[in-house]
Amino acid sequence: ASDVYKRQITISAGGAFLACLPKKIQKEQIIQVQLLINERIITALSRVVWINPQKMKNRSGYPYPPGFAVEFEQISGEARAEIDHFVKKSLRLLRALNFELNRSPQDRKRIKELFSQFRPGDSLHLNHIKKVVRLESRHFRVRKSDALC
């Protein structure tokens, strides 16, 4: 029987962080990861590179949830390109949402249209959109500064 982790919060062409309670995972363990991206399942043989067994904060005070990070060891070039495209598209949409939310006056129709592309099927209430964009933007900022440390 294989363990299934259903929530991922960070992904790049090189790997992913999966938020969960990592009970049976060990550092350097080789595991098979399946990701659902654009209605397609992408499979990658991956190596566990970091484990966070409990909620903790980084140097800037940003809370990391429990989970583990993997580096893709074996993944097709096509799958890696699809992940990279997905990440870049998501980031473009997030930047556009930030711009629209900070405009005066706000174009609510445009905001909802962008958010529907960013998070299909999610709530279109403006307060929810603002919260999600704020959290996602904070995550991208922290990830960028962490990479420089």
Side-chain angles (χ1 to χ4, degrees), residues 50-108:
W50 184 69
I51 300 172
N52 182 24
Q54 60 188 357
K55 190 172 186 175
M56 60 188 257
K57 294 183 179 184
N58 69 4
R59 286 182 234 148
S60 61
Y62 182 79
Y64 284 118
F68 61 96
V70 297
E71 180 179 349
F72 301 141
E73 296 275 321
Q74 292 179 7
I75 185 171
S76 73
E78 179 185 330
R80 193 178 300 273
E82 190 168 343
I83 291 170
D84 193 47
H85 174 74
F86 172 79
V87 170
K88 287 177 181 175
K89 178 183 175 189
S90 296
L91 195 51
R92 277 193 307 272
L93 287 168
L94 186 60
R95 287 180 181 144
L97 277 163
N98 264 321
F99 176 78
E100 291 295 335
L101 286 168
N102 290 311
R103 271 176 82 177
S104 182
Q106 291 180 341
D107 182 347
R108 290 176 183 239

Side-chain angles (χ1 to χ4, degrees), residues 8 19 21 27 34 51 55 58 76 101 106 130 133 140:
Q8 116 204 3
L21 292 174
K27 192 170 179 185
Q34 291 185 325
I51 300 172
K55 190 172 186 175
N58 69 4
S76 73
L101 286 168
Q106 291 180 341
K130 288 177 182 178
V133 170
F140 277 109

Side-chain angles (χ1 to χ4, degrees), residues 113-133:
E113 174 188 306
L114 288 167
F115 193 72
S116 291
Q117 294 174 48
F118 184 68
R119 288 258 182 106
D122 205 344
S123 169
L124 293 177
H125 291 287
L126 192 58
N127 285 337
H128 174 73
I129 293 172
K130 288 177 182 178
K131 178 182 175 183
V132 169
V133 170

Side-chain angles (χ1 to χ4, degrees), residues 1-62:
S2 64
D3 295 316
V4 176
Y5 300 95
K6 293 186 177 183
R7 183 174 168 229
Q8 116 204 3
I9 62 167
T10 306
I11 187 169
S12 72
F17 176 81
L18 295 103
C20 63
L21 292 174
K23 296 177 183 175
K24 298 179 183 179
I25 297 293
Q26 298 175 0
K27 192 170 179 185
E28 300 300 321
Q29 181 178 352
I30 303 296
I31 62 172
Q32 182 173 311
V33 174
Q34 291 185 325
L35 306 166
L36 181 62
I37 296 180
N38 297 328
E39 305 300 321
R40 179 175 173 236
I41 294 177
I42 294 176
T43 302
L45 200 59
S46 307
R47 181 174 51 88
V48 177
V49 293
W50 184 69
I51 300 172
N52 182 24
Q54 60 188 357
K55 190 172 186 175
M56 60 188 257
K57 294 183 179 184
N58 69 4
R59 286 182 234 148
S60 61
Y62 182 79

